[in-house]
Amino acid sequence: MADIQLFGRILISCEVHALTGLHIGGSSTGMEIGGVDNTIIRDPLTNAPYIPGSSLRGKMRSQLEKVLGLPQNNRIGQVTIHTCKKPEEYHRNGGCPVCHIFGVPGEVGATGPTLLLVRDTPLSEGSKKVLAQAHTDLAYTEIKTEVAIDRVTSAANPRILERVPAGAVFAPAELVFSIYQEADFERFKYVVDGLQLLEDDYLGGYGSRGSGKVAFRQISVAARSAQDYSQHHAWQTFSSLKELEAAYADLLRWARGVIQVG
Ligand SMILES: [Zn+2]
């Protein structure tokens, strides 16, 4: 890797609203609660559900890979993702946006730093209170029973699924996008696209059967420049992604004004 200089960061902070029930799977080993075989991930300290940064980031990545038509050629556990396998692929045509933004495995060779970091998003204090008072099936969550019918034998096969109920809000969701070169400003567009693609798809499991529809709200945009890193430059807060997208050209102009490259 050549010399790396960080020129600044674009900081996004927002709320994630569950518009339908949300199931982000946890490990169910040894934690069978009331016969629920599909439990969700929880913060071990508060026992409240949260959205792992890796879930948001992974979904953005896989959606972008699909719209960009990139080969999904790297099997990691149960998922197959796209990875440029050689530095030439990574740098081709101004650079592979997905591998620049989300990173490549170290063994690929001369590439660059990963641009996007996504933090874990806790259940908001407001939703914690509301769900605690609602006396849901399990702490903060509901139990959904789905009956799958075996197409051959017609036998009913119930599946018991834990979900965070529709209406829950997770916040703050934080995305940090680093600028190492001028071209990175243009790459930020893919982050916004990734969020939009995620809204139109789903987060977590069982999306094809209705779970996991989310919306990003109260999206605040800020930046820090390497020249005066202690200075937090807040820009604007948008009520939805649609609003942010409409102001995207202004956002880029503003970010280039705050973060001086070169
Ligand atoms: Zn790539």
Side-chain angles (χ1 to χ4, degrees), residues 8-20:
R9 291 187 163 125
I10 300 174
L11 310 163
I12 300 289
S13 173
C14 64
E15 298 174 352
V16 183
H17 289 236
L19 302 184
T20 64

Side-chain angles (χ1 to χ4, degrees), residues 61 70 82-85 89-90 95-100 103-104:
R61 179 177 192 142
L70 296 171
H82 158 76
T83 307
C84 287
K85 302 267 185 181
E89 290 172 27
Y90 177 86
C96 169
V98 165
C99 291
H100 274 78
V104 289

